[in-house]
Each structure stands twice: as structure tokens, then as C-alpha cells.
Amino acid sequence: MTLPTEQRITLSHHLTLTAQSWGASDAPPLLTLHGWLDNAGSYAFLAPLLAERWRVIALELPGHGHSSHLPAGINYHYVDYVSAVLAAADALQLERYTLLGHSLGAGIASWWRRRNRKASSSCI
């Protein structure tokens, strides 16, 4: 199994996301979004296979995996996950990319597609 590289994506003074990446940096980007009780590790077996064609970026949503948690007293709302993914794609300077989502990630990818013309999406 190919090991990913890990990167930190600072979105604000209180929110930093983590992503695991596989594949060539010049390959078309595939931003993957995990499910409700998951993290980027959900793609550990699939990503090396996809990396033959894509630059796979498995993003960890706020409060999941190694991404930071929101400050005490702030709730996690579905719409805020969509905003965090949009901000992460901007921070990664992704001009065009494809989204692949599972469970919660599929819902985010579906909603995102309606809001963002730079992305194409696949939901499983």
C-alpha cells in the first residue's frame, strides 16, 4: 500500500484541517470527503488505486481525524462543513477538481455542486 503525504490547511485562527494526499502533484485533483464517523483513513485502500489517474486529496472535516475541533460552545452544522470544504479547496488553490464523497461526504459533495461551478462531483 502506498503511504500518503499529510498536509495541514489553515482556514482561520481557530480552524486547521488535515488532508492526506496520494498521486502526482500535476495529476487532476480528486478531493475526497469521508462519512460522519470517519476520517481521511476511509480512503487508505482506494486512494492508491485512484492515484494512478488522480491526485487524491482526502480531506478531514472539522472535528474529525487530525483536523482541529471547533471551539467549545460552537456546534457542528452541515452547512458549515460545506463552507469548510469550499475554503479548503480555495486554500489548496484548486482551479478545477472532482469531489468524491461517502455518506456525509456525499451529501456535502451534492450540496457543493449546486454552489460551485469549479467542481464536478461523484457521490457513493
Side-chain angles (χ1 to χ4, degrees):
M1 180 169 64
T2 306
L3 295 177
T5 58
E6 188 169 286
Q7 64 187 117
R8 306 282 287 162
I9 306 159
T10 301
L11 301 183
S12 68
H13 67 279
H14 70 271
L15 185 58
T16 300
L17 302 183
T18 301
Q20 294 180 2
S21 299
W22 293 261
S25 61
D26 61 344
L30 175 66
L31 188 59
T32 66
L33 307 175
H34 60 76
W36 180 253
L37 296 176
D38 295 328
N39 56 45
S42 298
Y43 292 97
F45 294 105
L46 179 60
L49 301 172
L50 294 171
E52 294 174 10
R53 177 176 177 213
W54 304 90
R55 174 181 156 214
V56 179
I57 305 164
L59 186 65
E60 291 185 322
L61 298 170
H64 295 260
H66 294 135
S67 290
S68 60
H69 291 262
L70 297 178
I74 296 180
N75 294 319
Y76 292 88
H77 294 286
Y78 181 79
V79 175
D80 296 328
Y81 284 130
V82 175
S83 297
V85 173
L86 178 60
D90 287 344
L92 291 168
Q93 299 178 341
L94 301 179
E95 290 296 319
R96 294 191 59 79
Y97 49 92
T98 298
L99 288 171
L100 173 67
H102 163 71
S103 185
L104 171 65
I108 293 168
S110 294
W111 191 334
W112 177 298
R113 179 68 175 131
R114 293 184 192 120
R115 296 185 61 198
N116 189 340
R117 298 284 181 214
K118 290 192 255 181
S120 59
S121 62
S122 299
C123 304
I124 56 172

